Amino acid sequence: MVGADLSTGQRVARARRRLGWDQARLAAAVGRSVSWVSKVETGRLPLDRMSVVGQLAEALGVEVIELTGQPYRHDGSELDSGHAAIPGLRLALQQATMPGGALLLSSLEPPSLDEVSSRVLAAERLRQDAKFTALGDVLPQILRDLIVACDTAEGDDLRRAEGLMLRASHMARVSSNLLGHHDLGWSAVQRELVAAERAESPTLRAAARWDLCGVWLYEGEVTAARDMALRALDDLEPDLGAADESIRSLWGAMHLRAAVAWSRLWDRTEAESHLEEARRIAAGLPPEGNVFQTQFNAVNTEIHSVEVSLELGHPRDVLSRSELVDVMRIASGERKSHFWVCTAAGQMMNGKSEDAAQSILRADAVAPQHVRNRPVARNLVDDLRSANRLSHAEEIRRLAGHMKLG
């Protein structure tokens, strides 16, 4: 069986055998029973939390993608989720991050920043709706135009151009991480950090650090993500009292990053403390807040509370908290889809497979390109295929087919 066809559990077994370990040794390394390891490897126990996947990856000395099997390729271009744009995106980011990269684009005229700003805004709407194929069609050219703009602009125009470069690089980072190209995500966030320094902007620096936490969370480097979030919060705190909406939003968003990191480290006290601070800040900000694509607002804070409960392994809290989320109030298909995936995982952990099937199908209806590239969602769909007497069994089988599961 080739690697692309392996389940997550089979990849765990492959990594274990490569080390020469038996199941007992892996069980001891992760503080679990041999029975638990056996059920994971045979697919009888789904890996429905990234905290557990990350723990296994660390114990086995492999990258998270070794166990998740990313990137996932799809047959149809309508479901390819932007993979076709990866070569162009990679080249644009290489040019954006190398010294003198603009010289490779010397034939291009400096673009109008007003025109590029409009295109960035339109691309951000695609990113929020997780329409990654459409985003991949436009983002490489936006990056190339901004390489030239950042090389030729001066003064306020330079700061504006670098701000746009940060926003475009963030979209490249999100696309790359979702699709499993984590090296490309690193290139994108490195350009964000450079943009913040060149613009000499504490606000941009905080936005880049927030995104850096996102890269580390995707990679399973949870301790690094936590430490960066805490360091960024320390740097933001002196300016918080008289801060504008952007700083307060980034402060709140950084607390959400910290909450997720602590939850993946299974520290409930710290995770809940950061959630509570985020709630406090969100209560004083606009309900539709989306500073630097953070979607920091009250609804997204409660979506994070559902995720935190899931990662902590408290399925009843997942359900009770999900019932309080007015998810239709958030203007982001990606966030809505994420909410339904987390809810579905919690329902499955509670033995409510019928509800879980309905939730994962709702997630897929909102943002299919997001769901079909998420390891946790794929593991959940794979598990639902074997559930008995599902009224949505045919839809689940169809979704599993789209995901190329088994």
Side-chain angles (χ1 to χ4, degrees):
M1 182 177 287
V2 297
D5 295 328
L6 297 177
S7 69
T8 305
Q10 288 168 327
R11 294 187 191 99
V12 170
R14 180 180 62 180
R16 172 182 60 77
R17 288 192 296 268
R18 191 165 58 237
L19 290 175
W21 289 9
D22 59 15
Q23 290 182 339
R25 183 163 181 183
L26 177 56
V30 296
R32 303 278 186 164
S33 68
V34 174
S35 174
W36 182 89
V37 172
S38 177
K39 289 177 181 177
V40 165
E41 292 187 352
T42 58
R44 288 177 291 157
L45 187 65
L47 289 171
D48 47 17
R49 292 183 284 157
M50 288 308 296
S51 56
V52 178
V53 175
Q55 183 194 35
L56 284 166
E58 182 177 6
L60 292 166
V62 299
E63 293 181 286
V64 167
I65 57 173
E66 168 105 7
L67 302 185
T68 62
Q70 288 179 297
Y72 313 119
R73 298 279 185 176
H74 301 293
D75 291 341
S77 60
E78 75 280 3
L79 296 177
D80 194 51
S81 305
H83 283 288
I86 289 296
L89 191 59
R90 187 181 299 278
L91 178 59
L93 284 170
Q94 287 170 346
Q95 293 166 337
T97 53
M98 70 174 62
L103 295 176
L104 302 175
L105 303 169
S106 57
S107 62
L108 297 179
E109 291 293 325
S112 160
L113 290 182
D114 286 341
E115 188 267 339
V116 176
S117 179
S118 296
R119 289 159 56 205
V120 168
L121 188 61
E124 286 173 337
R125 288 193 288 269
L126 295 174
R127 173 261 183 272
Q128 285 296 332
D129 287 334
K131 294 179 178 178
F132 293 106
T133 295
L135 179 60
D137 288 341
V138 300
L139 188 53
Q141 186 58 53
I142 289 174
L143 285 166
R144 285 192 289 270
D145 287 343
L146 285 171
I147 292 169
V148 176
C150 291
D151 186 65
T152 56
E154 297 178 348
D156 289 342
D157 282 345
L158 173 61
R159 285 183 283 274
R160 185 183 180 193
E162 290 291 354
L164 290 169
M165 176 62 84
L166 183 142
R167 290 163 60 187
S169 296
H170 162 74
M171 289 185 279
R173 196 282 296 171
V174 170
S175 300
S176 300
N177 279 146
L178 177 77
L179 298 174
H181 298 273
H182 297 318
D183 62 323
L184 197 54
W186 267 111
S187 295
V189 82
Q190 286 168 359
R191 188 59 185 87
E192 291 182 57
L193 291 164
V194 169
E197 293 306 313
R198 292 195 71 197
E200 300 179 333
S201 167
T203 304
L204 293 184
R205 185 178 301 115
R209 287 177 165 187
W210 172 80
D211 224 20
L212 177 57
C213 291
V215 171
W216 273 324
L217 287 173
Y218 264 102
E219 288 196 340
E221 298 292 344
V222 183
T223 301
R226 177 202 64 190
D227 292 347
M228 174 51 68
L230 296 179
R231 190 176 305 121
L233 287 168
D234 285 343
D235 289 346
L236 283 171
E237 188 168 18
D239 299 323
L240 191 61
D244 61 15
E245 181 180 308
S246 293
I247 290 292
R248 286 184 288 127
S249 292
L250 288 166
W251 168 267
M254 206 71 76
H255 275 287
L256 292 181
R257 289 288 202 224
V260 171
W262 279 114
S263 72
R264 293 190 185 180
L265 293 167
W266 297 327
D267 190 321
R268 183 175 188 174
T269 300
E270 289 289 348
E272 294 292 345
S273 175
H274 286 285
L275 268 178
E276 193 55 40
E277 175 62 11
R279 287 191 182 100
R280 185 185 72 81
I281 294 294
L285 291 170
E288 70 284 356
N290 186 27
V291 170
F292 287 105
Q293 296 292 286
T294 59
Q295 279 291 339
F296 182 73
N297 50 55
V299 176
N300 197 23
T301 299
E302 296 312 317
I303 292 174
H304 276 75
S305 77
V306 175
E307 179 180 1
V308 163
S309 293
L310 176 65
E311 295 290 3
L312 288 168
H314 298 151
R316 284 184 290 183
D317 289 346
V318 173
L319 299 194
S320 61
R321 284 180 160 178
S322 66
E323 291 173 354
L324 301 176
V325 178
D326 188 0
V327 71
M328 297 309 296
R329 288 180 54 213
I330 195 164
S332 169
E334 182 272 334
R335 287 283 87 195
K336 290 174 184 174
S337 177
H338 181 72
F339 165 77
W340 287 117
V341 169
C342 290
T343 299
Q347 289 165 334
M348 199 65 177
M349 291 166 68
N350 276 283
K352 299 178 179 294
S353 56
E354 186 69 48
D355 292 340
Q358 293 182 34
S359 293
I360 199 68
L361 290 170
R362 292 188 73 169
D364 188 68
V366 171
Q369 295 190 336
H370 182 251
V371 172
R372 300 175 193 191
N373 279 286
R374 289 196 60 189
V376 167
R378 293 169 66 88
N379 289 341
L380 182 59
V381 171
D382 200 22
D383 195 40
L384 281 167
R385 286 194 303 168
S386 61
N388 294 323
R389 296 184 297 277
L390 283 181
S391 61
H392 295 282
E394 182 56 36
E395 293 98 317
I396 291 296
R397 282 193 293 270
R398 190 178 303 117
L399 179 55
H402 287 313
M403 292 177 167
K404 298 300 177 185
L405 297 174

